[in-house]
Amino acid sequence: MSPRPVRTAPGAPERPLQITVDGDPVEGVAGRSIAGILLAAGRTSWRTARSGAPRGVFCGIGVCFDCVLTVNGVPDVRACRRRATDGDVVTTQTRAAADNGEAGA
Amino acid sequence: MTAAPRTEDRRHVVVVGAGPAGLAAAGSALAAGARVTLADAAERPGGQYHRTLPEEFGGPRDGGSHFARLRRRVLDHPHCTWLAETSVWALERPDPEQPGPPRVHTLTGPADGNDRPRRVLTPDALVLAPGAHDRVLPFPGWELPGVYAAGAAQALVKGERLAVGDDVLLAGSGPFLLPVATALLTAGAGVREVLEANTPKTVAAGWTRRPWQLAAQPAKAAELARCTALLVRHRVPYRMGRTVIEARGDGRVEEAVTARLRPDWSVVPGSERTVPVDALCVTHGFTPQLELPLAAGCALLRTPAGEFVAVDADQRTTMPGVYAAGEITGIAGAPAARTEGALAGWCAAGGDPAAPALHRVRRNRERGRAFAARLAAAHPVGPAWPGWLRPETVICRCEETDYGTLRSAATDASGAAPRVIKLATRAGLGPCQARICGPTVAELTARLHSPPPGRPAEGLPPAAPHRRPLAQPIRLGELARTPDGPEPDPKESTA
Ligand SMILES: Cc1cc2nc3c(=O)[nH]c(=O)nc-3n(C[C@H](O)[C@H](O)[C@H](O)COP(=O)(O)OP(=O)(O)OC[C@H]3O[C@@H](n4cnc5c(N)ncnc54)[C@H](O)[C@@H]3O)c2cc1C
Ligand code: FES
C-alpha cells in the first residue's frame, strides 16, 4: 500500500485542484503541499540522487532537501514546504539538474 | 499618569519561530509593553507541536485551548506584526563598535519561490526560537523512499491528513515515538510495532532517578500515558531493546530487518527478524536548528545529548540583546519550550526580571531543564550503533557518501581535519549542507580518528556541523536584490 489520505474534518468539503507532474495531470485537494499531493496519488519518490537512486520525502519539514522538484519553471523547490496551487506545473529533477540556481542552501 | 508609548516608540522585539517557544515569547514581550515582530517560515503559527490543519481542511479546531487563546492574543494584538511564510535567511551582526542585536534578513512568500520580497528588521532585542528536527542515525537502506523521519509522518498526518502507510513500523529512541504512533492510529493507519532501542533498564534508570522531577511535568506525563493506553487498545506491541538495523526494497521500502540490542546498542547475533512494511518511521532524538544562533555569534554548550545554545537564568545568550528559547537550548518538549519562551520574551522586552509573576515561570523552567536531563539519560544513543553500518551504507544522503569512504578518509592521517574530510568525501557538501549527516559525520570521524583533530585549518574558525553562512536557501536573484522598503508596520501582517 501507498500513503493514503485520511478523512478530513466533518463539515469541511475538500476543494479539488489539479497539477501536472511531468506533463501528466494529478488530482489533489487544496491545503496539501505538493509532496502531500504526490504521496496521496501513490507516488513515494520523484527525484533521483546522483547514483540514480529514487528519493521522495524524508524529513517532511524542509531540512533534508530530498524532496526537491521544479515548480512552474523554478528548480529546487522543497515539495514538502510548498503549498500546491491549482494549475501548478511540476517537473521532477535529477541531482545533476539540481546543482544550480541556489546559493548557500 | 503618563500616556502609553506610541507603537513606534516601544522597544522592538523580533521573535524568530512561532512554535510553542516563539509564540509564548511574543505573548510575554507584548505583555511587557514591547512591540513585536513575529516571523515564521510556516503559514500558521504553532511550530511542530501545534501543527494546525489548513483552513481548507476545517482549519484550527481547538478554539478554547491554551494555544488557541495565546495565538489570538498575540496575532490580534495592536503592537504585533505577524509575518507568515517568512524565512529568516541571515543575521547580520553590527560592527563591534555598535552594540546590539544583529539585523534580521527575511524573505516572504511561498517556500523556495524566486521573487519573494526581502526585508531587513532592526530589533532592539532578538528572540531565537527555531526549534529542532529529528536526528536519524544511518542504517543500510535508510535512503529508500518510504523510510521517513518520525517527524515527517507526524507532520503529514497532523498537517495534511495523510497516513504514510498501512503496515508502519516505528523505531528509534525516545518518547516521541508514542505521539507519532498515536497520530497514525487515530488516523486509521496500521502500526505494526513500536521499537525503543534502549533496554528497559536504561530507560527506567533514566526516568526514575529523582522521580519527583517527573511529577513536575504532569502535562507531558499525562500525554504519554494517553499514548500508551492507545497502543494497548490497538494491541500494538511496544518493544524495548530492539530496533531496525536495515531497510530493504526495490525502489521503495518493503521490508525491515529488526534486531535485539544490548544496552550499548550492539546487535545480539541471531536475533534478527524480517518484517514486511510499507513505511518505516525512525527517530533517534532531535537536532537543534543552530544556524541562526551561530550566525548571531552565540556560544554553544556541550551536553551529553549534543550541543545547544548556552543561556543564563533570563534566557540570554552570550550575545548582547539576543535571547534563545525552546528546543535550541535543550530537548524537553512543548510545555518546557513554552515556559522558556515566556521568560525570554519578557526579559527581551525589558520587563523586570524580578517581577513576582515570573517566579512560577522560573520554577517551571528549572523543572523543564531537569526533564531534559532525564530524557537524555533515559534515551541515550548507544555508542555501538555503527556496528550496523556496512562499507556501502549511505551516510550523507545528499552526496551519497558511504561509510567505507568516510572511514578511509578519517583514518588516513593526512586527511583528518574535518574540512579536508568534507572535501575528500563530499559528505555534508550537498543541498542540505550537513543538516542531516553533520552530527553523524562528526561523531564517526571523531571516533575513527583519535585523538580528535582539533587544529582549525588556514586560520578559519573550527569546522562545526552547524556552521552555515546562510540559514535558509536563497536564490541568487533574490540575494542580488536590494531589500524591499522599510520594516512593516503592525497590522500590516502578511497573513
Ligand atoms: C517534525 C516534528 C514533529 C513534531 N511533532 C511533535 C508532536 O506531535 N508532539 C510532541 O510532543 N512533540 C513533537 N515534536 C517535538 C517538538 O520539536 C517540540 O516539542 C516543540 O514543538 C518545540 O517547540 P519550539 O518552539 O522550540 O520549536 P518548533 O515547534 O519546532 O517551532 C520552531 C518554528 O520556527 C520556525 N523556523 C525555524 N527556522 C526558521 C527560520 N530560519 N526562519 C523562519 N522561521 C523559522 C519553524 O517554521 C517553526 O514553526 C516534533 C518535532 C518535529 C521535528
Ligand atoms: S522532505 Fe526533507 S526537505 Fe522535504
Side-chain angles (χ1 to χ4, degrees):
Chain A
M1 261 293 289
S2 295
R4 60 179 169 81
V6 294
R7 60 185 181 276
T8 57
E14 290 182 348
R15 194 153 46 81
L17 56 73
Q18 197 186 64
I19 63 174
T20 64
V21 181
D22 293 332
D24 296 332
V26 175
E27 308 293 332
V29 295
R32 284 213 173 102
S33 66
I34 291 179
I37 286 179
L38 288 169
L39 289 169
R43 273 185 87 152
T44 51
S45 62
W46 47 84
R47 187 178 77 90
T48 53
R50 275 170 195 272
S51 67
R55 295 289 175 84
V57 167
F58 177 61
C59 74
I61 58 165
V63 176
C64 73
F65 291 73
D66 260 10
C67 67
V68 294
L69 36 65
T70 298
V71 180
N72 303 325
V74 179
D76 303 328
V77 174
R78 287 167 290 176
C80 69
R81 291 293 301 273
R82 174 63 77 89
R83 200 61 55 190
T85 55
D86 195 29
D88 274 344
V89 176
V90 172
T91 49
T92 55
Q93 290 185 188
T94 66
R95 180 57 204 288
D99 273 348
N100 49 40
E102 193 175 60
Chain B
M1 216 176 101
T2 52
R6 293 176 309 159
T7 298
E8 53 274 32
D9 297 337
R10 287 167 188 263
R11 202 171 148 77
H12 183 201
V13 175
V14 170
V15 180
V16 184
L23 202 63
S28 67
L30 289 164
R35 86 181 155 100
V36 169
T37 304
L38 175 64
D40 198 296
E43 287 150 274
R44 291 171 299 280
Q48 304 303 352
Y49 187 77
H50 300 285
R51 189 174 278 281
T52 43
L53 275 177
E55 265 127 50
E56 289 87 344
F57 288 176
R61 282 161 38 84
D62 51 353
S65 69
H66 175 88
F67 165 68
R69 285 197 305 273
L70 176 62
R71 182 183 55 209
R72 272 197 304 273
R73 185 151 60 77
V74 169
L75 300 197
D76 296 347
H77 198 286
H79 302 305
C80 178
T81 305
W82 157 236
L83 301 179
E85 281 200 300
T86 298
S87 297
V88 172
W89 62 273
L91 295 176
E92 188 193 344
R93 285 150 79 179
D95 59 86
E97 314 294 314
Q98 229 188 320
R103 306 203 308 156
V104 179
H105 289 263
T106 69
L107 281 167
T108 299
D112 304 327
N114 64 352
D115 271 320
R116 294 171 293 177
R118 246 182 85 183
R119 259 197 291 251
V120 185
L121 308 173
T122 45
D124 297 310
L126 176 63
V127 179
L128 298 175
H133 59 83
D134 289 271
R135 176 162 188 211
V136 179
L137 298 174
F139 51 87
W142 74 308
E143 72 283 10
L144 281 172
V147 179
Y148 302 94
Q154 184 74 338
L156 286 165
V157 165
K158 277 168 89 172
E160 305 215 26
R161 286 323 213 170
L162 270 177
V164 288
D166 279 317
D167 283 304
V168 187
L169 188 61
L170 294 178
S173 185
F176 183 47
L177 289 165
L178 295 173
V180 179
T182 303
L184 285 168
L185 288 170
T186 311
V191 178
R192 295 299 159 231
E193 285 180 280
V194 179
L195 305 180
E196 160 65 50
N198 281 297
T199 60
K201 215 171 147 192
T202 307
V203 174
W207 284 119
T208 54
R209 223 172 28 192
R210 293 190 287 271
W212 61 92
Q213 288 172 349
L214 192 58
Q217 293 277 317
K220 264 280 150 235
E223 186 185 334
L224 295 180
R226 273 195 308 274
C227 295
T228 314
L230 193 76
L231 288 191
V232 171
R233 192 141 27 92
H234 285 264
R235 298 176 199 283
V236 178
Y238 175 78
R239 297 184 215 281
M240 292 172 148
R242 181 167 271 279
T243 201
V244 167
I245 56 164
E246 185 177 350
R248 295 183 191 146
D250 182 11
R252 59 163 300 171
V253 66
E254 289 159 355
E255 282 179 357
V257 180
T258 72
R260 204 141 60 75
L261 296 184
R262 301 194 185 93
D264 67 353
W265 291 24
S266 54
V267 172
V268 176
S271 66
E272 292 88 351
R273 203 157 58 196
T274 303
V275 288
V277 294
D278 61 2
L280 178 57
C281 305
V282 198
T283 181
H284 298 102
F286 289 98
T287 301
Q289 310 221 57
L290 293 178
E291 36 289 278
L292 291 176
L294 282 171
C298 306
L300 300 183
L301 190 69
R302 197 180 286 276
T303 78
E307 283 185 309
F308 296 96
V309 180
V311 287
D312 70 5
D314 293 341
Q315 299 298 128
R316 210 189 307 262
T317 70
T318 52
M319 293 307 284
V322 182
Y323 296 74
E327 309 272 73
I328 56 169
T329 74
I331 305 298
R338 199 181 305 134
T339 307
E340 287 200 349
L343 188 55
W346 178 268
C347 296
D352 177 7
L358 285 193
H359 289 339
R360 205 167 53 101
V361 176
R362 287 187 191 280
R363 206 170 52 235
N364 285 342
R365 202 268 312 264
E366 290 321 308
R367 288 171 173 172
R369 294 232 160 130
F371 185 79
R374 290 157 59 85
L375 184 66
H379 301 277
V381 170
W385 70 266
W388 63 59
L389 299 176
R390 302 202 193 110
E392 66 278 11
T393 305
V394 168
I395 303 291
C396 164
R397 298 175 67 93
C398 296
E399 295 297 314
E400 298 182 301
T401 308
D402 62 34
Y403 183 51
T405 307
L406 191 73
R407 200 169 45 185
S408 45
T411 44
D412 170 3
S414 67
R419 268 198 188 76
V420 181
I421 288 183
K422 239 185 173 182
L423 291 175
T425 67
R426 295 200 55 82
L429 286 179
C432 99
Q433 289 286 291
R435 284 176 175 85
I436 301 294
C437 72
T440 298
V441 171
E443 181 185 335
L444 289 176
T445 50
R447 278 217 240 157
L448 291 165
H449 182 93
S450 48
R455 189 171 52 88
E458 315 101 39
L460 296 168
H466 312 290
R467 218 172 285 283
R468 282 165 211 112
L470 302 181
Q472 289 281 309
I474 175 169
R475 293 184 189 280
L476 289 173
E478 289 174 327
L479 188 61
R481 254 165 73 176
T482 46
D484 302 84
E487 294 191 20
D489 288 330
K491 300 304 109 213
E492 224 190 78
S493 301
T494 59

